Amino acid sequence: METIFKRWWLLLLNGILFLILGVISLAYPVTALFSVAVYIGVVALSNMRVRSWGWRLLEGVIDVIFGLLMLGNPLLSAAMIPVLIGIWVFVRGLMYVADSLAWRRRGSGDWSRYLIVGILLLVLGFLMMVDDRFGLLPVAYLLAFIFLLVGFGSLIVAFGMRRADRELRRQEHD
């Protein structure tokens, strides 16, 4: 855990990048879809080194499949993009919920905000998968909102990890 807490700044950087991506997606929704597809594909494929079990393994498998689909054909039909992105967002929401509950068990004060972000991602992902009214333009705006949520969620966790890292360092010096 100490190693993870010491790398809190990586999650902070991730959160900032997602916030920027969210703002860009709001400003240029149609153009952003192609960029987002490529970005998600690259990020998903970079997660292939995940070596944990359970939910992390499922997350990694979904990321790899999603990444390959998006990189293989970033201009998928309008009917498929919302479903694929919905699945990806839904799995991310599950991960946020699972992480928040684990944080709660460890006594973190940030768990409830992270849980709210996870629940919102679950709802948005589900809507994207099942509602035919989500075409490309609404998906672009939903993605912008989702990226902003993921960005804020990452910032919440990063600062929580930073506090935990500082606490561990204080305990080591005592």
Side-chain angles (χ1 to χ4, degrees), residues 8-22:
W8 66 268
W9 60 273
L10 288 172
L11 200 53
L12 177 68
L13 181 62
N14 183 59
I16 291 168
L17 290 174
F18 267 105
L19 290 174
I20 291 169
L21 185 59

Side-chain angles (χ1 to χ4, degrees), residues 20-30 32 140-145 148:
I20 291 169
L21 185 59
V23 170
I24 290 171
S25 295
L26 283 174
Y28 306 101
V30 176
Y141 286 116
L142 274 173
L143 274 176
F145 180 68
L148 292 171

Side-chain angles (χ1 to χ4, degrees), residues 81-94:
I81 288 176
V83 172
L84 290 173
I85 293 173
I87 292 168
W88 180 75
V89 170
F90 190 84
V91 170
R92 286 282 168 207
L94 284 174

